[in-house]
Amino acid sequence: MNRKFEQIDWEFFSLDEIFTTIQRGKRLTKKNQIKGDIPYISSTKYNNGVDGFIGNEENVRKYSNCLTIANSGSVGNIFYHDYEFIASDHVTALVNEELVKEHYMFLIASISMIGEKYSFNREISDDRIKREKIKLPAVSPDEPDWEFMKEYIESKQEIISDLPPQVNLNVVSDERKLSDVTWDTIKISDLFEIDKTVTQVNDKELLPYISAKKMRNGLKEFSNDFTNAKAGNTITWNKIGDGGAGLAYYQETPYVVDSINVMVLKPLFNMNRYSGLFIVGILSQYHGIFGHGYTLTDKRFSMLKIKIPIIEETGRIDLEFMEQYMKKKENEVLEKH
């Protein structure tokens, strides 16, 4: 792909300009579902929205090669389906028969930002969806640049295809469980400092933009504005956000951060991806405690404490256990696939 993001024009398009069909699925209660092998798409945020497999043929709406967006429940979750499925009334199908998989995959990133405006108490109706606008590469104010979008996604798939076809399992030498280690209560500020510096990064095309989202590791979009660039091997902690306040995420590579709503924690010890992921789980216990009326401020950070595994003889945090424990968990996931 020769063209880059900064070399193309962008325009706003309403979703009813992009999709030829915007239609909610039909209600189908559990007792009326017939066992079968057709995916039933509902508002779950897991398994690409698949809530089960059914065989109903009457009073259902079937789709394929399109997107679904959850209009209730996990509002705003959006998935691509390249197979035939039945849509529940908790999702709306977004269809354009002229689009291919690469187009849909590009659209997901832009459309997913719509969900931030809605919640369980404010559902997305089909009329609202039709009026929503997203910014897309454009050939003209009236025509999206579908060629660029397809080329961009294909270029990313080329990178993925260069990865090794198999992933080796981690070598685990420590089989201790959570109940087998010593835990101690430690101030978070003794383990991390708030990183307010800007990191110099290479002139890359794009960096992940991390905001106070409650999913996708905080990823909102990709940005070529490096004003608030941060180094990898740090933790982002949501200070505020709809349902996301208190959630922590490990960031392995450089990224750009929404510094107003997200706190960046730089480790004062030799953290790696595994120990970082372990600590993220502990920090996220504050999810549900912080919110719009009670935000994660610098002052509160300085007083917060967590329980963490330690080496009893020295009192130091047990990095080896955390790494080994997370490697075991990763192996369990890999073995299922």
Side-chain angles (χ1 to χ4, degrees):
M1 186 184 72
N2 296 322
R3 294 181 296 164
K4 297 183 178 181
F5 269 67
E6 61 269 21
Q7 297 172 323
I8 62 173
D9 296 322
W10 294 73
E11 299 288 347
F12 282 98
F13 298 90
S14 60
L15 294 192
D16 62 359
E17 292 178 287
I18 299 170
F19 299 103
T20 54
T21 299
I22 298 177
Q23 185 181 51
R24 184 180 290 227
K26 281 196 171 184
R27 181 171 176 77
L28 187 64
T29 61
K30 286 285 186 184
K31 69 177 182 179
N32 291 326
Q33 293 178 16
I34 302 170
K35 289 185 179 180
D37 55 7
I38 303 175
Y40 181 63
I41 307 300
S42 190
S43 60
T44 176
K45 62 182 178 181
Y46 304 107
N47 303 320
N48 214 57
V50 177
D51 193 41
F53 293 87
I54 62 176
N56 297 66
E57 293 291 340
E58 297 182 357
N59 297 317
V60 296
R61 285 180 177 156
K62 289 184 179 181
Y63 306 91
S64 63
N65 188 41
C66 67
L67 303 178
T68 57
I69 184 169
N71 46 47
S72 63
S74 298
V75 179
N77 278 318
I78 184 165
F79 300 107
Y80 170 68
H81 311 276
D82 59 357
Y83 44 83
E84 185 181 61
F85 65 93
I86 295 173
S88 78
D89 62 330
H90 295 298
V91 298
T92 295
L94 307 175
V95 185
N96 183 334
E97 294 180 354
E98 295 184 1
L99 301 185
V100 296
K101 178 180 180 179
E102 288 76 16
H103 295 138
Y104 282 122
M105 297 308 292
F106 191 102
L107 290 169
I108 283 176
S110 297
I111 299 174
S112 63
M113 286 184 260
I114 293 173
E116 297 181 7
K117 301 192 300 184
Y118 298 90
S119 65
F120 186 83
N121 294 320
R122 186 176 183 234
E123 298 185 356
I124 312 178
S125 66
D126 287 1
D127 287 338
R128 282 176 177 165
I129 292 174
K130 291 177 183 178
R131 295 194 302 268
E132 290 288 354
K133 291 188 176 184
I134 58 174
K135 201 171 186 180
L136 292 175
V139 176
S140 70
D142 301 317
E143 183 182 356
D145 192 340
W146 297 115
E147 181 181 356
F148 173 81
M149 288 185 259
K150 185 173 185 292
E151 289 177 352
Y152 179 80
I153 295 299
E154 286 175 342
S155 71
K156 298 304 177 185
Q157 290 174 339
E158 288 174 5
I159 295 174
I160 294 172
S161 65
D162 289 337
L163 296 176
Q166 293 183 339
V167 179
N168 294 326
L169 296 179
N170 299 300
V171 176
V172 177
S173 57
D174 188 341
E175 294 294 339
R176 287 181 296 168
K177 301 177 182 178
L178 295 174
S179 57
D180 296 331
V181 296
T182 301
W183 295 73
D184 194 13
T185 301
I186 298 176
K187 273 190 173 184
I188 302 173
S189 56
D190 290 337
L191 302 174
F192 294 92
E193 63 181 1
I194 301 174
D195 186 2
K196 297 185 177 181
T197 63
V198 176
T199 298
Q200 295 297 316
V201 296
N202 295 329
D203 186 16
K204 296 183 178 180
E205 181 178 315
L206 293 168
L207 283 180
Y209 180 76
I210 306 301
S211 65
K213 294 180 69 65
K214 59 181 178 181
M215 58 188 74
R216 296 197 304 278
N217 214 57
L219 175 65
K220 181 176 182 180
E221 57 187 350
F222 291 90
S223 174
N224 57 10
D225 180 358
F226 306 149
T227 304
N228 289 314
K230 299 294 181 182
N233 196 40
T234 52
I235 288 175
T236 54
W237 204 5
N238 293 353
K239 295 190 281 189
I240 196 170
D242 279 338
L247 285 176
Y249 299 110
Y250 175 74
Q251 309 296 341
E252 188 168 13
T253 60
Y255 57 97
V256 180
V257 68
D258 170 7
S259 57
I260 295 175
N261 296 316
V262 180
M263 180 181 290
V264 177
L265 304 184
K266 182 179 180 180
L268 300 175
F269 57 96
N270 188 26
M271 184 174 74
N272 62 20
R273 181 167 72 94
Y274 294 104
S275 53
L277 289 170
F278 189 100
I279 292 172
V280 156
I282 298 175
L283 292 175
S284 293
Q285 68 182 306
Y286 285 101
H287 180 220
I289 295 177
F290 292 107
H292 286 290
Y294 189 71
T295 59
L296 177 56
T297 62
D298 292 7
K299 183 177 180 181
R300 285 174 179 148
F301 165 78
S302 67
M303 298 183 292
L304 292 175
K305 297 180 179 180
I306 56 173
K307 280 192 173 182
I308 199 165
I310 64 164
I311 301 172
E312 193 168 6
E313 293 80 5
T314 63
R316 295 179 179 273
I317 59 173
D318 196 339
L319 286 171
E320 177 66 19
F321 169 75
M322 289 189 278
E323 293 169 15
Q324 293 286 306
Y325 182 83
M326 293 308 295
K327 284 180 178 180
K328 283 191 295 183
K329 292 299 178 183
E330 187 174 72
N331 285 350
E332 291 173 6
V333 174
L334 293 173
E335 287 173 340
K336 290 180 181 178
H337 295 79

